[in-house]
DNA sequence: GAGATGTGCAATCTTTGAGTTGCACATGGA
DNA sequence: TCCATGTGCAACTCAAAGATTGCACATCTC
C-alpha cells in the first residue's frame, strides 16, 4: 500500500475512539466484537473505525476461524512520525535563517 | 503551554486546508489576510483554522503594527513525532513478544 | 482627514462524520 | 441439528466542523 497523504493519516488519528481502539490493538489482536464489549460504542461503529484505520495502514486484519482479528501496525505510525519530524525540522531551520537575516544589519543586496 | 492530548493534536493536523496554511507558515511569517489572498478560502475561515492551530501550539502569533503575523512551530511538530514514534515502537515490541510466544510450542502453563 | 487595508465578532448554511438500530447470513460448538 | 456468536450491509439520526456573509472597529498611508 502506498503511504496516504498526511492530512488523511492525521485525520485517522484525530479521533478519541480510534485511539482507544488502537491502544487495545497495540496490546494484542482483537476482534470487532471483543472491542465492542470493552468500549462504550456499538460493534458497527467500531467496524467503521477499523475501516478508516485499515485504509491508512494503521491496522491489519486477518480472518481467524469464524472471526476477524485486527492488529495495530506500529511501523506505519513510525513512518508518519519520521515524516512529521522531517517537516518540523525544516520549519525550524527556515526560522533560524529568517532570524539570522533579521539580526544582520546590512546583509548586502543580491548582485 | 502543556502538551494537548494526542487525538486533539492529530485532529488539528487532520485537515487539508490547515496543512496548506502550515506549509505557507513554515516558509515564513504571514498574516491571515495574506494567507486568504493565496488560498481559496475566506479570511474568516483561515482565522478559525489559525485558532485551532494556535490552540495546540502548532502556530504562534505576534502583533506587528496593524497586522498579526503567524508562524509554524516546528518544535511542537517534532514533539508529536517523538511521541508517535514511541507508541509505534511499543506496538512493534509487543507484536514481537506475541509472535515469540506463538512459535514456542509449550511455554509452560501459569502456576 | 480620507480611503485603503487588517482584524474581530456574530449569525447562518451545509456537509461530513460518529453513532445507532435493524436485518440477513455465516460459522463454530453442544 | 440447533443455538449462540461474529460479521456485513443499509438506512437513519444528530451534532460538530468547515465555510460563508455582513458589519463594526482599528490603523497605516497618502
Amino acid at each position: 500500500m502506498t503511504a496516504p497523504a498526511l492530512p488523511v493519516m492525521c485525520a485517522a488519528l484525530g479521533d478519541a475512539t480510534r485511539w482507544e481502539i488502537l491502544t487495545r490493538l497495540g496490546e494484542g489482536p482483537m476482534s470487532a466484537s471483543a472491542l465492542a464489549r470493552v468500549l462504550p460504542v456499538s460493534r458497527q461503529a467500531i467496524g467503521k473505525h477499523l475501516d478508516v484505520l485499515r485504509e491508512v495502514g494503521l491496522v491489519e486484519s486477518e480472518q481467524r476461524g469464524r472471526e476477524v482479528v485486527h492488529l495495530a501496525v506500529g511501523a506505519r505510525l513510525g513512518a508518519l512520525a519520521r515524516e512529521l519530524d522531517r517537516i518540523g525540522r525544516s520549519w525550524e531551520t527556515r526560522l533560524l535563517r529568517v532570524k539570522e537575516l533579521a539580526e544582520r544589519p546590512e546583509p548586502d543586496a543580491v548582485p
Side-chain angles (χ1 to χ4, degrees), chain A:
Chain A
M1 177 195 293
T2 168
L6 274 178
V8 180
M9 281 286 296
C10 293
L13 293 172
D15 181 272
T17 302
R18 280 199 283 271
W19 269 106
E20 289 283 340
I21 293 176
L22 282 174
T23 302
R24 309 291 177 136
L25 295 185
E27 299 170 356
M30 275 180 100
S31 72
S33 297
L35 285 166
R37 272 184 238 111
V38 177
L39 300 180
V41 286
S42 67
R43 173 185 65 85
Q44 283 79 354
I46 288 182
K48 294 185 187 178
H49 285 304
L50 288 173
D51 287 342
V52 174
L53 293 171
R54 200 179 318 106
E55 196 72 24
V56 298
L58 282 169
V59 157
E60 281 176 358
S61 308
E62 175 190 356
Q63 190 94 23
R64 188 178 295 183
R66 158 169 61 178
E67 58 187 16
V68 180
V69 292
H70 312 273
L71 188 66
V73 179
R76 180 63 87 189
L77 199 61
L80 172 64
R82 280 191 297 279
E83 197 157 355
L84 293 182
D85 185 68
R86 207 201 74 235
I87 296 174
R89 286 177 195 276
S90 82
W91 294 354
E92 290 291 290
T93 58
R94 297 220 192 194
L95 181 58
L96 279 184
R97 239 183 296 169
V98 168
K99 280 191 177 169
E100 274 180 4
L101 289 181
E103 282 166 3
R104 204 179 318 172
E106 282 299 335
D108 274 15
V110 199

